[in-house]
Amino acid sequence: MAKVVCVLYDDPIDGYPKSYARDDLPKIDHYPGGQTLPTPKATDFQPGTLLGSVSGELGLRKYLEENGHTLIVTSDKDGPDSVLEREIVDADVVISQPFWPAYLTAERIAKAKNLKLALTAGIGSDHVDLQAAIDGGVTVAEVTYCNSISVAEHVVMMILGLVRNYIPSYQWVVKGGWNIADCVTRSYDVEGMHVGTVAAGRIGLAVLKRLKPFDMHLHYTDRHRLPEAVEKELGLTWHATREEMYEVCDVVTLNCPLHPETEHMINDETLKRFKRGAYLVNTARGKLCDRDAIARALESGQLAGYAGDVWFPQPAPKDHPWRSMPHHGMTPHISGTSLSAQTRYAAGTREILECFFEGRPIRDEYLIVDGGKLAGTGAHSYSAGNATGGSEEAAKFKRG
Ligand code: NDP
């Protein structure tokens, strides 16, 4: 029988909700492109409830305990005295969400002698040292597509929020003011602007599709080019290099995974290639950007705005400069954990666990590492190596 350690974010400060703003979720059968939603044999939760926090337990307890497994759920994940550090030693499975990542460094993987499966309840397994997982024969799986559209919606919201200067204008209302000039001196229309995505995978392409009706000029760069028919339908301009794309864009959005090839790809040097006053939206991973270079670019005016929901490490320390830099629209890491998304990735987590425990193959599209190598989606979109360096800094949040 297995021991499953599940690392989830804390419950709301007022306690686990007793009621919700809405009674149900819209029914969605397929993702764009035809991939089916998760297909576990059963689920033990009410769709639309809070599953991603400690008391929600991703709806897994009944299923795991009825099958004789042990489930440990904790939010205490960072530092040598954490519950995760203690429990990982004999864990067979570690489940973690990117919003509150259980950093599985090489040291932790070496300590976890029984670890067979690192399961990401969401998308993006960069919190796992993939090289160490490859070397240690640990399977890494994530719930591909579960929250791609959730994030795409967030990206569009953030682009509009920055360009139209929404957040400062909202704050004038809350403060009791009517300062129209203060609001509009940084407010523009997106119509006619050039917007480019680094990566046109599930999220990047969904962002482009959603921005098309705004009559923006659409650009992308990716390792693999989209089918010609898609480029034509959306009127896309493809760029062979990121830098070439930055030079023509008013808005840039990052939608690629974090892996050694993409770490710190936005830095002082690459920011010089941006148009002055460009907007940058990053909901992919904080470490795609050099933290201090972003703050410097906002202070100098090279960037007119920066928004996103991803930081490094997570949770971000209280003195993280992205909390206080000018013209930002940051949120905690929430875009992929709407209640709608949670329902899908909790079901996907259950599907992966059922496959794992019943000895059935995990869907190829969910695999990142398997059998000692990158596999499935991982083989297509990631590169081997480690992007967890510096994650021990996350323990600073506790002390901050
Ligand atoms: P996909 O796998 O569908 O898309 C990733 C795309 O990135 C692929 O098209 C891949 O290209 C491309 N890519 C990889 N490396 C590079 C590179 N060096 N330069 C340009 N493009 C590159 O994933 P999703 O769209 O669903 O998710 C993308 C990322 O967004 C995730 O990895 C995760 O980090 C982040 N994310 C954030 C969430 C949040 O809550 N904020 C939630 C979900 C995801 P190709 O396949 O052509 O090689």
Side-chain angles (χ1 to χ4, degrees):
M1 293 298 106
K3 172 171 167 182
V4 178
V5 176
C6 187
V7 177
L8 300 177
Y9 46 79
D10 288 312
D11 283 347
I13 50 175
D14 293 335
Y16 192 74
K18 294 186 179 63
S19 65
Y20 291 86
R22 296 180 55 80
D23 298 327
D24 54 16
L25 297 178
K27 193 162 166 31
I28 298 167
D29 294 320
H30 288 86
Y31 298 115
Q35 184 183 315
T36 54
L37 264 71
T39 49
K41 289 180 178 165
T43 54
D44 301 310
F45 57 80
Q46 180 68 30
T49 53
L50 180 60
L51 301 165
S53 74
V54 170
S55 297
E57 301 183 322
L58 294 177
L60 292 173
R61 185 168 295 279
K62 181 167 178 277
Y63 159 70
L64 287 172
E65 291 186 346
E66 278 180 3
N67 285 281
H69 306 300
T70 306
L71 174 66
I72 308 284
V73 181
T74 183
S75 63
D76 186 14
K77 66 184 184 73
D78 297 306
D81 306 323
S82 61
V83 172
L84 173 63
E85 196 79 26
R86 193 171 66 234
E87 298 289 352
I88 201 170
V89 178
D90 57 350
D92 297 276
V93 178
V94 173
I95 302 172
S96 170
Q97 301 170 110
F99 325 104
W100 188 258
Y103 293 107
L104 294 185
T105 58
E107 296 71 37
R108 280 181 165 169
I109 289 177
K111 247 190 207 178
K113 300 273 182 253
N114 296 347
L115 187 63
K116 293 166 203 74
L117 176 63
L119 204 173
T120 305
I123 302 175
S125 296
D126 47 275
H127 58 281
V128 181
D129 182 334
L130 295 182
Q131 192 58 53
I134 288 169
D135 298 341
V138 176
T139 296
V140 181
E142 60 186 45
V143 191
T144 306
Y145 233 142
C146 64
N147 54 15
S148 301
I149 301 303
S150 324
V151 178
E153 291 183 2
H154 207 84
V155 172
V156 173
M157 174 184 81
M158 287 187 145
I159 291 174
L160 290 170
L162 285 182
V163 176
R164 302 202 56 86
N165 208 32
Y166 170 60
I167 296 172
S169 309
Y170 168 79
Q171 284 164 342
W172 277 117
V173 170
V174 174
K175 284 188 279 193
W178 193 259
N179 300 52
I180 294 172
D182 292 280
C183 298
V184 300
T185 45
R186 295 188 70 87
S187 177
Y188 297 89
D189 296 349
V190 295
E191 183 186 22
M193 284 190 171
H194 290 254
V195 57
T197 172
V198 176
R202 294 170 184 83
I203 297 174
L205 181 59
V207 169
L208 292 169
K209 281 184 181 164
R210 279 156 182 72
L211 289 175
K212 177 142 177 76
F214 284 92
D215 290 332
M216 299 182 80
H217 302 280
L218 307 178
H219 301 253
Y220 80 101
T221 180
D222 198 303
R223 299 192 302 194
H224 303 93
R225 208 160 159 173
L226 290 165
E228 207 183 323
V230 176
E231 285 192 357
K232 267 211 179 110
E233 184 197 338
L234 296 175
L236 304 180
T237 306
W238 177 76
H239 297 268
T241 67
R242 299 190 283 255
E243 286 73 18
E244 184 191 301
M245 189 183 81
Y246 300 153
E247 283 168 2
V248 298
C249 285
D250 304 288
V251 181
V252 172
T253 158
L254 308 181
N255 297 297
C256 60
L258 170 66
H259 51 93
E261 207 179 291
T262 57
E263 186 169 340
H264 288 161
M265 67 186 196
I266 304 288
N267 52 49
D268 284 318
E269 282 314 300
T270 52
L271 280 163
K272 285 185 193 149
R273 306 290 290 269
F274 280 60
K275 283 171 78 169
R276 191 190 82 84
Y279 301 89
L280 180 58
V281 171
N282 174 18
T283 53
R285 284 298 176 263
K287 239 195 193 182
L288 295 174
C289 299
D290 175 324
R291 186 191 69 174
D292 297 334
I294 294 296
R296 279 193 289 273
L298 288 167
E299 275 151 20
S300 73
Q302 178 61 8
L303 286 180
Y306 180 92
D309 68 330
V310 285
W311 308 65
F312 188 82
Q314 291 185 182
K318 297 208 165 82
D319 60 354
H320 194 295
W322 290 5
R323 290 182 188 269
S324 54
M325 63 192 181
H327 312 305
H328 81 79
M330 295 298 296
T331 62
H333 192 165
I334 57 161
S335 64
T337 185
S338 58
L339 294 175
S340 324
Q342 288 176 44
T343 294
R344 291 187 293 270
Y345 67 69
T349 302
R350 169 82 177 253
E351 178 188 332
I352 292 170
L353 287 173
E354 287 176 0
C355 290
F356 175 74
F357 288 126
E358 293 167 20
R360 289 187 283 122
I362 295 170
R363 288 192 208 194
D364 222 33
E365 60 229 26
Y366 290 165
L367 287 176
I368 303 300
V369 171
D370 195 37
K373 55 183 188 331
L374 291 173
T377 292
H380 190 76
S381 297
Y382 285 77
S383 60
N386 171 32
T388 64
S391 56
E392 63 285 353
E393 284 278 298
K396 268 173 60 183
F397 182 78
K398 269 199 218 169
R399 298 193 299 270

